[in-house]
Amino acid sequence: MIKFGRASTFGRASVPASRFLPPRATGICGAPRTARGYARPPVFALAVLFVVPLWAQESVRERKPAEVMSFHGADWLERAGRDEEQQPEKVMAIMGVQAGDAVADIGSGSGYFARHMAKVVGPEGKVYGQDIQPEMLEILKQKAAAENITNIEAVLGVEDDPKLPPLSLDWVILVDVYHEFQQPQPMLAKIRDCLKPAGKVALIEYRLVGETAKHIRAEHRMSVSQVLKEWSPSGYKLVELHEFLPTQHLFILGKDEG
């Protein structure tokens, strides 16, 4: 069952998988209406009994990867108000991160989420703070040391490989970074290889559709349809979609063994 978290603008709080319909290539067109409803033959009326999330009607826009944010912008990753905007404690509760877990924060930057997760997994757990910029990893190490956090391992990856051990991770989290992957398909394959059989990915991206994230440049935002178009062929399935964050989607993705 695909679960849909409580939404501010994206439909019902929970939609069973049996009611999921694939995205329409023509976008959010809808059916012509009259004053009394849909002006369509009766056979079409059966279709409207199904609840179709608005994102499932989005047109899938082609996109180019955004430029990677430089380590010179690391202060923005520690901005005031980020706790309220991204609610890391609630995100981790939904993920089900627990003591002893092995997790990776890919594109961790200054280690904002890595540090939060390190406190949850505890000394018996392990957090990999991964980035492709060594300068970011130095910032991560400094901030972890300042908080006396000792269970984060900094990992320098490359554009097509996170350099993480195979079949080792209960969770991977990617926050505002996937849209910057310059080689997304090789990275998705490598990330999948790093997950344990029941391992999952938490993906957070600013919303492309609607007004909630309009203050973020379009190339740094993604629609649900874009994400599924890129992740599904790489062996992932959507497990849950949550819309409680004020400006962002939270996807929970698992391995698709089908």
Side-chain angles (χ1 to χ4, degrees), residues 232-254:
S232 296
S234 296
Y236 296 87
K237 61 183 178 182
L238 179 65
V239 178
E240 299 174 13
L241 175 63
H242 296 272
E243 297 291 357
F244 64 89
L245 294 173
T247 60
Q248 295 165 303
H249 306 291
L250 168 59
F251 303 83
I252 304 296
L253 299 133

Side-chain angles (χ1 to χ4, degrees), residues 6-7 10 21 43 45 52 68 83 89 109 112 124 128 136 141 154 159 173-174 218 232 250 256:
R6 188 170 184 177
F10 284 81
L21 295 180
V43 65
V52 184
V68 176
D83 286 353
E89 305 304 328
Y112 172 83
E124 296 181 358
Y128 295 95
M136 283 291 200
K141 292 176 187 177
E159 286 187 347
I173 189 167
L174 301 103
S232 296
L250 168 59
D256 188 353

Side-chain angles (χ1 to χ4, degrees), residues 54 71 103 118 147 232 241:
L54 292 181
F71 69 93
V103 300
E147 297 181 28
S232 296
L241 175 63

Side-chain angles (χ1 to χ4, degrees), residues 22-244:
R24 298 181 182 177
T26 53
I28 306 175
C29 298
R33 293 175 179 266
T34 67
R36 299 182 64 182
Y38 285 94
R40 287 289 189 183
V43 65
F44 181 79
L46 294 174
V48 301
L49 296 176
F50 292 90
V51 177
V52 184
L54 292 181
W55 62 262
Q57 305 174 48
E58 296 169 0
S59 58
V60 183
R61 309 182 194 180
E62 295 299 324
R63 73 174 192 95
K64 294 181 180 180
E67 292 184 6
V68 176
M69 189 186 82
S70 166
F71 69 93
H72 292 295
D75 285 348
W76 189 75
L77 301 176
E78 301 291 333
R79 63 193 178 276
R82 187 170 180 184
D83 286 353
E84 290 75 19
E85 179 188 352
Q86 296 191 330
Q87 303 176 41
E89 305 304 328
K90 186 171 182 179
V91 168
M92 288 187 293
I94 286 172
M95 292 167 63
V97 176
Q98 55 190 332
D101 278 353
V103 300
D105 181 6
I106 293 182
S108 61
S110 63
Y112 172 83
F113 260 94
R115 300 194 314 271
H116 279 283
M117 291 193 297
K119 296 170 185 176
V120 175
V121 303
E124 296 181 358
K126 178 96 172 198
V127 177
Y128 295 95
Q130 187 273 356
D131 208 282
I132 62 171
Q133 298 181 70
E135 298 89 348
M136 283 291 200
L137 295 179
E138 286 304 313
I139 296 170
L140 181 155
K141 292 176 187 177
Q142 292 169 14
K143 291 190 175 296
E147 297 181 28
N148 296 314
I149 295 173
T150 60
N151 58 344
I152 298 178
E153 179 179 336
V155 178
L156 181 64
V158 293
E159 286 187 347
D160 62 353
D161 189 345
K163 301 293 185 179
L164 295 168
L167 295 172
S168 63
L169 301 174
D170 298 290
W171 280 98
V172 166
I173 189 167
L174 301 103
V175 182
D176 303 335
V177 69
Y178 171 70
H179 65 273
E180 294 182 358
F181 282 6
Q182 301 303 300
Q183 299 189 50
Q185 298 312 312
M187 276 292 283
L188 291 182
K190 290 290 187 179
I191 290 170
R192 193 178 188 280
D193 290 343
C194 297
L195 292 171
K196 295 178 181 179
K200 293 184 178 64
V201 176
L203 173 66
I204 294 177
E205 287 286 346
Y206 283 103
R207 297 185 187 104
L208 177 62
V209 178
E211 303 293 318
T212 61
K214 201 171 182 179
H215 58 292
I216 302 295
R217 293 201 305 271
E219 64 268 26
H220 290 274
R221 296 183 278 144
M222 293 191 71
S223 69
V224 175
S225 297
Q226 284 176 330
V227 168
L228 297 184
K229 180 184 178 183
E230 296 179 23
W231 283 69
S232 296
S234 296
Y236 296 87
K237 61 183 178 182
L238 179 65
V239 178
E240 299 174 13
L241 175 63
H242 296 272
E243 297 291 357
F244 64 89

